[in-house]
Amino acid sequence: MDKKKLLEKFPILRKIRTKQIKFVFYAKMYLDKNKYCKEIIKEKLPYQLPKFKDRMVNTKTGYPIEYQYNKVFNLKLASKKINKILIKPNETFSFYMSVKGADKKEKYKKGLTLVNGKIEFVEGGGMCQISNLLFQVFLNSPLTIVERHTHKMKDFPDPMEDALKGIDATLAEGFLDLKVRNDTQNTFQIIIEFDDEFIYGYLCSKEEIKEQYKIINKDLRYIKEKDKIYEKVDIYRQTIQNEQVINEQKLYTNKTQIGYELPKDVEIKEEE
């Protein structure tokens, strides 16, 4: 019997294996010589960088709406461990190191999560909405992206029709994290806020930032490969000073499988 079937037959072994994976995951971070940020202060730092938002309840998933409300609960619970945390010079922010223990007193609810290519209902599901938002915030700052992973599949349309494509960061505790490092001499602070409809994310800084950044999409295309549809898009970052673009840099090309029906007017090309 192979390992996968063994774990399926004996759930207790799966739980033990999961705990083992998470233990190793965090042990590596404790031993990797990075200084992970942990200080949270009550007041905001004086200078605010651009603010971004995302609609929390997505009515386009095709699944019961209760899982969207559960996700909102999860987002607010996790954000308590992130909001107003400082990222000082030479410090690294890790999503999982920061939110570890957020559900110690109050447990996460079941939300939608992609597991091995299929949607499952998992405690803490939907957490990627924070990591997606934070990744966009970090791209628009001087912070250095250390670790980020794209979603292999996009199962339903974005809740925000004007959202940039390819700006996402999937998570899987024990395997996939979102990390950024502060290689500057400035101190930054993560701010996460909510209203009835949106989650907001932005950075504040101790010193004023002279440069501004803008993320743009180029060459958005949909391609068919072996009967599967993929979205590919190039991600560029513009550096702006005195309202003038002084530099434009391609960051990466994002590719993800589309798991929903695209509008009829979208052109789908054959394999590149």
Side-chain angles (χ1 to χ4, degrees):
M1 184 181 296
D2 63 30
K3 184 185 295 185
K4 184 177 180 181
K5 291 182 179 179
L6 188 65
L7 293 175
E8 289 175 352
K9 187 174 182 179
F10 301 101
I12 187 64
L13 295 180
R14 180 182 291 276
K15 290 183 179 180
I16 293 172
R17 178 58 177 159
T18 299
K19 288 184 178 180
Q20 180 187 47
I21 289 171
K22 290 181 181 180
F23 174 82
V24 173
F25 178 73
Y26 289 108
K28 286 181 178 179
M29 280 195 274
Y30 283 116
L31 299 173
D32 66 10
K33 298 182 180 180
N34 288 321
K35 184 178 181 182
Y36 290 97
C37 60
K38 59 183 179 180
E39 183 179 356
I40 294 176
I41 61 175
K42 293 183 178 180
E43 64 277 7
K44 293 182 184 179
L45 295 180
Y47 298 99
Q48 181 177 317
L49 279 68
K51 179 186 286 189
F52 300 91
K53 68 178 182 179
D54 198 9
R55 183 174 285 108
M56 291 184 288
V57 175
N58 189 343
T59 60
K60 305 174 184 178
T61 67
Y63 292 90
I65 198 68
E66 66 180 280
Y67 293 109
Q68 291 298 301
Y69 297 132
N70 287 353
K71 177 189 69 176
V72 173
F73 176 88
N74 295 337
L75 296 178
K76 291 181 177 179
L77 187 58
S79 71
K80 293 177 182 179
K81 299 279 284 186
I82 299 175
N83 187 37
K84 296 185 178 178
I85 193 169
L86 300 179
I87 312 177
K88 300 175 185 178
N90 301 314
E91 285 189 339
T92 296
F93 168 83
S94 157
F95 181 88
Y96 276 120
M97 186 66 84
S98 297
V99 304
K100 187 180 180 184
D103 61 340
K104 186 175 182 180
K105 294 182 179 179
E106 196 170 10
K107 297 301 180 183
Y108 290 122
K109 295 183 179 181
K110 286 189 176 181
L112 306 181
T113 298
L114 187 66
V115 180
N116 296 324
K118 296 181 180 179
I119 290 291
E120 295 186 6
F121 310 116
V122 178
E123 284 81 3
M127 207 68 71
C128 288
Q129 190 155 18
I130 287 188
S131 57
N132 291 347
L133 181 63
L134 288 176
F135 181 55
Q136 184 173 17
V137 167
F138 297 149
L139 286 178
N140 286 270
S141 79
L143 297 175
T144 302
I145 307 296
V146 176
E147 181 180 350
R148 171 260 177 181
H149 306 271
T150 190
H151 287 82
K152 292 183 179 180
M153 179 176 287
K154 198 173 177 181
D155 285 279
F156 28 80
D158 295 312
M160 303 277 286
E161 293 182 0
D162 59 347
L164 286 170
K165 307 295 185 183
I167 310 297
D168 68 309
T170 188
L171 298 166
E173 188 178 14
F175 301 96
L176 309 176
D177 202 355
L178 173 64
K179 294 180 183 178
V180 292
R181 185 178 62 245
N182 185 0
D183 292 328
T184 78
Q185 296 303 307
N186 198 355
T187 295
F188 294 88
Q189 181 185 40
I190 298 174
I191 306 295
I192 302 291
E193 297 173 337
F194 299 88
D195 62 18
D196 292 340
E197 187 175 359
F198 296 98
I199 177 175
Y200 299 86
Y202 58 97
L203 293 175
C204 289
S205 63
K206 185 176 181 180
E207 299 175 6
E208 187 174 9
I209 305 296
K210 294 181 180 180
E211 295 180 338
Q212 294 180 323
Y213 304 94
K214 183 179 180 180
I215 304 300
I216 61 173
N217 286 159
K218 288 189 178 184
D219 195 17
L220 172 64
R221 62 269 193 200
Y222 294 91
I223 58 175
K224 188 174 182 179
E225 297 179 358
K226 298 179 181 179
D227 297 324
K228 295 179 180 179
I229 307 300
Y230 293 88
E231 176 188 275
K232 290 187 73 174
V233 62
D234 298 331
I235 313 300
Y236 284 76
R237 182 166 72 171
Q238 296 177 337
T239 303
I240 302 169
Q241 281 187 354
N242 300 321
E243 300 183 354
Q244 298 292 321
V245 177
I246 62 171
N247 183 50
E248 183 174 283
Q249 176 190 8
K250 181 179 178 181
L251 300 180
Y252 58 92
T253 297
N254 200 77
K255 179 181 179 181
T256 186
Q257 185 181 342
I258 297 297
Y260 59 91
E261 187 174 350
L262 292 168
K264 293 182 179 180
D265 60 347
V266 172
E267 181 184 3
I268 300 175
K269 298 180 180 180
E270 292 301 318
E271 185 174 354
E272 293 182 333

